[in-house]
Amino acid sequence: MMPTALSSDTSDADADAAAAPLPFNALDLAFAAYLQEVQASSEPRHALLACLASHQFGRGHACLDLQLLAQQGVELLGWDARCKLPGDLGTAAATLPWVQGEASPLVLQGQRLYLRRNWQAEQDIGAAIEARLQQPCAVPPNLAELLTQLFPLQPAVEGVAVPTPDWQKMACALAARKRLTLITGGPGTGKTTTVVRLLALLQAASSSAGVTHSLRVALAAPTGKAAARLGESIASALQQLPEALRPPVLAQAQTLHKLLQIRPDQPDSKAPALAVDLVIVDEASMIDLEMMARLLAAVPLSASLILLGDKDQLASVEAGAVMAQLCEGSDAGHYSEDTVAWLQQVAGCDVRAWADTEGRASALAQQTAMLRFSRRFKDDSGIGIWAKAVNAGDRQTVMRLWQQAPDCMDAAAVVDRLQPTQPRDARLVALARSGWSVWLGQLQALGTGTCSDAQALEALQAFAQFQLLCAVREGPWGVQQLNLRIATGLGFKDLGWYAGRPVMVSRNDYNLGLMNGDVGLCLPTARGLRVAFPDGQGGIHWVAPQRLDAVESVFAMTVHKSQGSEFAHVCLVLPDKAVAVLTRELLYTGITRAKTRLTLVLAHSEVLRRAVDAKVLRSGGLGAQLDG
C-alpha cells in the first residue's frame, strides 16, 4: 500500500490546501512500490523513506541524511517550502523492514539511509584509502636535496612576493612519503605545475634507488576535454624544468572511462589491474562514488595515486561529492606535530599555522595539500575578488561587486555585466560577435576553400577564447535556445551541418575515439564537410558529420559541461528566476572558467543574491568514516 504521505501530510485543513505535492518522480515511486511488493509494510513512513532515499540518489547524494532532513529538510531536498513531511522519520527508519540482512536493498548506518550500492561503494573507498595510507613507502634519502633543486626560491609574480610556505613544494614532499596524496586548490594555483615537479621528483628518487626503468605513469581525467587539457598542460610545464631533472615523455592522458575500462554494456565488470607505478587524476571533483571505488580497486597498492581537483567546484553529476568529503577541513590543514616537524625538516616549509588544534589530524589529512596562491588572478583582481566572495557566501560583497561592474560594452573591464530586459537583447549577440571576432575572421577568410590541419587547429584555439556558459539547459536563458539565437545572430544556419558549426560530443564513442565533452568544428575539406577534433597530440582527428549521432551545437554550454576547461573570456548567463541548480558552487565554477575577462548576464539581481545563499548540501558518510 502506497502511503498518503507521498502527496502531503498535515492535519490542518487550511495548511493542507496550501501544501504542495511531494515532487517524487516515477522512479522514486516505483522503487518504493517494488519494496512494498517484495516485503509489505503497514507503516506509511517506510515507503516515504524509500522514496526519499531514491530521490536523494537522483540528486547526487550518497545517502539520505536523516539528521539534516530534520534540521534543514527544504534545503537538503531542494523542495518548495510548502512541501510538508511527517515528523519523526528517524524513528520510522529504525523499523524499516528493508534494511535487514546482508543483501538488503537499503542500509541504515546511524542517521544515514543508503541504497545498498552507494553504501558498498563508500565502504570500499574507505577501506581502500586506509589500506593505501598504511602501505609502506620508502622516503628517498635525498628528498630534501631533490626538493631544493626542483623548487628554487620563487620569484615575485607581477611584483608581488610569493607567500610562504611553498604549498607546491609541500605537496610534492607529502606525495613522496605515501601511496596516496590529495592536492586541491583553485584555478591558477599550480596543480599541474606541482604534478610535473612531482613526476620529476619521483623519477629522480626512483633512479637514485637503483631502478633503471622509467616510472610507468598513467594520466587521466573524467572527461576527454579535461584529459586533453591535462596532457597539454603537463607537456608545456615539462619544458620549464631543468633538462637534467626532466622526466621521460609520458603516455597520452586518457579518460577515466578508458583507463578503468568502463563500458555501458558491462556496468558490473571487474576493475582492471593496472600495470603502473604512478596514476595522476585531474578534475577529481567530478568523480562519483562508484568510479572512485573502481579507481582505487584498479591502482595497485604498490603504486602511487595522486588526485588533483578544486574541492569547491561542482561535484559529480552522479552520486557522491567524493573529493569535497575527502578534502574537508583542508583549509585549516589539521597537520599533526610529526607532519609539521617533518615538512620543516625535508622541505623547509613552516606549516605550524595549519597544525591540528581540534583533534582532526586524520591519516588522510596528513596527505592532503591545499594550494593557496593563484598565479592566474590575484585575490584582489576582478575575477579573483568575485570568486573569493562567491565561494565564501559573502552576499553583501557580491551584490556590491554587481552594482560596481561596468556595462558589458566596456571591453577594457576585467569583470563587466549585462542586465537585459528580454532574452533577445541584441547586445548578447554583439558580445558573442566581439568575443569570437578572431574565429569569425578565420572562417570568413577560409570561405569554401579546403581547410588544412593547421588551419583547423587555429580555428579551434580561436573558438576556445570565448564561451557562453549557462546555468540551465532549457528556458529562454538556457543552452538550447541560446544556441539557436547566437547561431542565427552570427549568420549561421539554426539547424543541420554547416561550415563553422561548433559541436560538443554528448556521449562516449569508443569507435570514433571521442569522449563526452569533446568539442569540434565543422569545416570544409577536399572531401566535403568534416568535423575537426583535437587529437590530444597537437594534431587533428577528422570525422564525417554523418557518423556523429550524439553531438549538439556549443555556442553555449552548461557550467557543468565546462568543468575541466578554461577560456580567456567567459560570458556567464543566469536565468531570470531562481532554480534549484543555481547554487554557490555553480557560480564559483562558472566564474573560475574565465582567465582574463568575465561578463555576467543577469536579468534580476535577486537571482544572483539567492544563488550565493544557496550552498549545495551533499549527504555522505565518507568523511566521517575516514575521520573515525
Side-chain angles (χ1 to χ4, degrees), residues 338-363:
D338 289 345
T339 298
V340 170
W342 185 80
L343 286 170
Q344 181 68 61
Q345 177 185 354
V346 302
C349 293
D350 184 357
V351 296
R352 286 176 294 178
W354 292 269
D356 179 55
T357 59
E358 304 173 19
R360 296 183 59 187
S362 66

Side-chain angles (χ1 to χ4, degrees), residues 265-547:
D265 57 337
Q266 300 173 4
D268 296 316
S269 62
K270 187 178 179 181
L274 301 177
V276 291
D277 301 306
L278 173 64
V279 176
I280 297 170
V281 181
D282 197 11
E283 298 294 343
S285 64
M286 299 168 68
I287 303 177
D288 60 59
L289 272 176
E290 292 199 17
M291 184 174 284
M292 183 65 79
R294 189 176 180 91
L295 173 64
L296 288 164
V299 180
L301 287 177
S302 58
S304 295
L305 174 61
I306 313 296
L307 298 178
L308 306 170
D310 185 346
K311 66 180 180 61
D312 297 316
Q313 273 188 205
L314 284 166
S316 61
V317 176
E318 303 298 332
V322 181
M323 189 70 174
Q325 288 192 73
L326 296 182
C327 293
E328 187 177 0
S330 59
D331 302 70
H334 297 298
Y335 296 118
S336 67
E337 291 182 5
D338 289 345
T339 298
V340 170
W342 185 80
L343 286 170
Q344 181 68 61
Q345 177 185 354
V346 302
C349 293
D350 184 357
V351 296
R352 286 176 294 178
W354 292 269
D356 179 55
T357 59
E358 304 173 19
R360 296 183 59 187
S362 66
L364 184 60
Q366 311 314 299
Q367 286 303 116
T368 303
M370 180 175 174
L371 308 183
R372 301 160 194 262
F373 179 71
S374 177
R375 288 162 173 80
R376 180 184 301 177
F377 39 73
K378 302 185 290 294
D379 284 347
D380 59 354
S381 72
I383 299 173
I385 291 173
W386 269 91
K388 186 176 181 180
V390 167
N391 201 23
D394 187 347
R395 180 206 311 166
Q396 290 185 337
T397 297
V398 170
M399 300 314 296
R400 175 175 55 80
L401 291 170
W402 168 255
Q403 292 298 329
Q404 293 174 349
D407 183 80
C408 73
M409 294 299 110
D410 182 0
V414 175
V415 180
D416 50 27
R417 69 173 185 169
L418 171 61
Q419 195 163 7
T421 57
Q422 48 88 19
R424 293 190 175 275
D425 193 310
R427 291 175 295 172
L428 192 55
V429 173
L431 187 65
R433 188 180 300 279
S434 173
W436 277 314
S437 60
V438 173
W439 171 64
L440 292 170
Q442 290 173 339
L443 292 179
Q444 185 176 15
L446 187 62
T448 58
T450 299
C451 184
S452 66
D453 284 15
Q455 289 172 315
L457 278 174
E458 289 177 357
L460 283 163
Q461 291 165 0
F463 180 76
Q465 293 303 297
F466 175 78
Q467 186 62 57
L468 287 155
L469 300 182
C470 301
V472 296
R473 286 193 57 83
E474 300 177 353
W477 302 103
V479 166
Q480 293 178 345
Q481 292 197 31
L482 273 179
N483 267 318
L484 291 174
R485 291 205 298 275
I486 298 299
T488 54
L490 295 179
F492 296 110
K493 297 178 182 179
D494 59 355
L495 294 172
W497 290 101
Y498 51 84
R501 182 190 179 192
V503 295
M504 174 182 281
V505 177
S506 57
R507 186 175 65 239
N508 293 343
D509 189 327
Y510 295 96
N511 293 325
L512 294 177
L514 297 174
M515 296 292 121
N516 184 6
D518 286 349
V519 172
L521 284 175
C522 185
L523 297 166
T525 73
R527 296 177 296 167
L529 291 178
R530 292 291 185 272
V531 184
F533 292 92
D535 65 4
Q537 297 177 307
I540 287 293
H541 174 41
W542 294 97
V543 180
Q546 297 80 3
R547 301 188 67 191

Side-chain angles (χ1 to χ4, degrees), residues 7 44 115 160 163 182 200 204 341 373 408 464 475 526-527 541 593 611 627:
S7 56
L115 303 182
V160 179
L182 308 180
F373 179 71
C408 73
R527 296 177 296 167
H541 174 41
R593 298 310 89 204
D627 283 342

